[in-house]
C-alpha cells in the first residue's frame, strides 16, 4: 500500500480509538482526504436514543465541510470487525455526495486486512441531482 494511503488509514485507526460507542461497543474510524491534500477524521458517536447516533463517515465528512472543503478524493474506514467493515447505506449516499464514482475507498480491519473499492462500486445507481432535472 502506498505511503499516502497508509497515512489516511492510520488517521482513521487513530480516531477510531476515540469513538463513543458504549451501546454497540463497535468503534469505527473514518478519514477522508480533500483535494487540497488535507485529511479529515471522524468516529462514530452513539446516543442513548439509538437513532440519534452518527457514523464515523458522517463525522469525517462534517470535519471536511467545517474545514471549508466540499470534495473528497479518498476515503478510509476501519473497525475491529472480522472482515473489512462496509459503510452503511446512508453513509454510501453521504460519501457519494462529495466524491466521484471512481474515488478510492479503503475498508480495513484493525488486524490489518484491507479491501480496496470505490464509491461507485459501493453505491451503483446512485440518486443524484440529475434525477431531479424535471423539477
Ligand atoms: N458504524 C459506523 O460508524 N460506520 C459504518 O460504516 C458502519 C456502522 C457505527 C454506527 C454504530 O455506532 C455502530 O457502528 C454499530 O452499528
Amino acid at each position: 500500500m502506498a505511503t499516502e494511503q497508509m497515512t489516511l488509514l492510520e488517521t482513521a485507526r487513530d480516531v477510531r480509538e476515540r469513538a463513543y460507542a458504549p451501546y454497540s461497543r463497535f468503534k469505527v474510524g473514518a478519514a477522508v482526504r480533500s483535494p487540497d491534500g488535507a485529511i479529515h477524521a471522524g468516529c462514530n458517536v452513539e446516543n442513548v436514543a439509538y437513532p440519534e447516533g452518527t457514523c464515523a463517515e458522517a463525522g469525517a465528512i462534517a470535519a471536511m465541510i467545517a474545514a471549508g472543503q466540499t470534495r473528497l478524493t479518498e476515503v478510509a474506514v476501519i473497525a475491529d470487525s472480522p472482515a473489512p467493515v462496509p459503510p452503511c447505506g446512508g453513509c454510501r449516499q453521504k460519501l457519494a455526495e462529495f466524491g466521484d464514482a471512481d474515488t478510492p475507498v479503503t475498508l480495513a480491519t484493525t488486524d490489518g486486512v484491507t479491501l480496496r473499492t470505490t464509491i461507485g462500486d459501493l453505491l451503483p445507481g446512485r440518486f443524484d441531482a440529475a434525477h431531479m432535472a424535471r423539477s
Side-chain angles (χ1 to χ4, degrees):
M1 188 178 286
T3 315
E4 217 174 54
Q5 292 152 16
M6 276 312 289
T7 306
L8 196 70
L9 188 53
E10 287 314 309
T11 302
R13 182 187 289 273
D14 187 56
V15 73
R16 176 188 163 275
E17 301 288 337
R18 298 191 287 283
Y20 178 76
Y23 306 106
S24 71
R25 305 212 170 274
F26 186 66
K27 293 185 167 192
V28 185
V32 301
R33 190 186 303 280
S34 46
D36 63 349
I39 292 175
H40 314 277
C43 53
N44 53 331
V45 182
E46 297 185 347
N47 191 280
V48 66
Y50 291 1
E52 299 305 324
T54 50
C55 286
E57 296 89 329
I61 288 169
M64 179 187 79
I65 296 298
Q69 295 292 306
T70 55
R71 296 299 294 167
L72 55 82
T73 59
E74 198 181 349
V75 182
V77 185
I78 188 168
D80 182 15
S81 45
V85 63
C88 76
C91 284
R92 294 175 194 220
Q93 185 72 39
K94 288 183 178 78
L95 292 171
E97 178 77 15
F98 302 105
D100 296 320
D102 63 356
T103 297
V105 180
T106 300
L107 307 175
T109 71
T110 50
D111 49 14
V113 180
T114 59
L115 176 68
R116 293 273 288 164
T117 183
T118 62
I119 290 177
D121 282 349
L122 286 170
L123 190 63
R126 62 186 268 193
F127 172 71
D128 64 25
H131 294 103
M132 299 190 291
R134 288 199 218 171
S135 305

